Structures are given as structure tokens and as C-alpha cells.
Amino acid sequence: RGLQNFLKEQGWDLYIDWLDEELPSAPDKETAEKIKNKIVETDWFLFLATANSTKSRWCPWELGYADAKKRYEHIVIIQTEDDDGKYHGNEYLQLYRKLTDSTSKIKSGYAVFAANATNGGVWIDELMP
């Protein structure tokens, strides 16, 4: 919820599938079609890599579908870590750009970086939502 609130404060209009009351209670073909349509309709695809999302049968499928439908620049992974500092997710998440907290001489906040990069990020408030 914290990320959701932060992005809304940055002016992002979010679609979060598990908050969609129009989706069937038990995932089925209709669920897949609605999610595919939302992935195509939205400008960005953000993948919150938690312990649950990376083990889900649906979330990696959504990422794969987004990979086929979106420009690379518009897919962003938001990694989370456990109490031991270990990041959640599989190696394929490293293929995509990532959102992380960052600090420069000018400002601090969240920025999107190319896969495996720590320089040359774009501040989240400078991205077009």
C-alpha cells in the first residue's frame, strides 16, 4: 500500500489486479483476458517482486505477457527484500529496469535504472505516468 500511495502522489493512475472487484473470485479465462487487456491499455507495467508475487503462477505470466506487448523501457521491477537482506525473485527479473531509492548531489528519492545499472537513472517524478 505504501508504494501505491507513493505512486499516486507522483500523479500515477494505477491499476492493481487484486483490487479489481470486477475480476472473478476464482481466476479463470475471463481473468486472463481482463488482465491482458489492462496490460495493453496501460502505459507502464510495474512488477512488485515480493515473496508471494514471485512464487505466484499468475504474476510471472503477467510479466511475460507485458514483455511481449510493452516497450522494454515501460516495464519496471520493484524488488523487495526479506529481513536478511535477500531480494525476492528469479534471475529473469534482472533483465528489466528497476525502481530503487537513490541519492545524487542534487536530490534523493526513487529512480528507475537500467538492468544491473547504478548510474544514469531517471527520477520517478520525471517519468511520464
Side-chain angles (χ1 to χ4, degrees), residues 12-17 20 33-47 62 65-76 128-129:
W12 290 62
D13 182 24
L14 301 174
Y15 172 78
I16 302 171
D17 58 1
D20 187 343
E33 288 303 317
K34 287 186 176 193
I35 290 174
K36 286 177 7 180
N37 289 337
K38 285 294 184 181
I39 289 171
V40 171
E41 290 172 11
T42 58
D43 294 327
W44 293 81
F45 182 85
L46 305 178
F47 185 88
E62 292 172 2
Y65 188 79
D67 184 82
K69 297 294 182 180
K70 298 249 173 265
R71 291 184 15 226
Y72 168 79
E73 295 82 12
H74 283 223
I75 298 174
V76 177
M128 291 298 296

Side-chain angles (χ1 to χ4, degrees), residues 4-118:
Q4 177 184 356
N5 292 334
F6 171 76
L7 290 172
K8 284 186 176 186
E9 289 170 3
Q10 300 300 314
W12 290 62
D13 182 24
L14 301 174
Y15 172 78
I16 302 171
D17 58 1
W18 58 270
L19 294 176
D20 187 343
E21 294 177 4
E22 294 181 14
L23 289 179
S25 57
D28 60 10
K29 184 177 179 173
E30 179 185 353
T31 305
E33 288 303 317
K34 287 186 176 193
I35 290 174
K36 286 177 7 180
N37 289 337
K38 285 294 184 181
I39 289 171
V40 171
E41 290 172 11
T42 58
D43 294 327
W44 293 81
F45 182 85
L46 305 178
F47 185 88
L48 182 61
T50 66
N52 289 336
S53 69
T54 56
K55 292 177 185 171
S56 163
R57 291 179 289 173
W58 281 90
C59 294
W61 171 83
E62 292 172 2
L63 177 59
Y65 188 79
D67 184 82
K69 297 294 182 180
K70 298 249 173 265
R71 291 184 15 226
Y72 168 79
E73 295 82 12
H74 283 223
I75 298 174
V76 177
I77 306 299
I78 302 135
Q79 288 193 306
T80 61
E81 59 184 66
D82 63 19
D83 293 337
D84 296 325
K86 179 184 173 210
Y87 285 104
H88 298 289
N90 299 311
E91 59 279 351
Y92 61 83
L93 295 179
Q94 298 172 24
L95 300 173
Y96 300 97
R97 294 171 17 133
K98 64 182 182 256
L99 176 71
T100 187
D101 55 342
S102 185
T103 302
S104 75
K105 294 178 183 177
I106 301 169
K107 69 192 259 187
S108 64
Y110 289 91
V112 174
F113 292 88
N116 300 317
T118 56

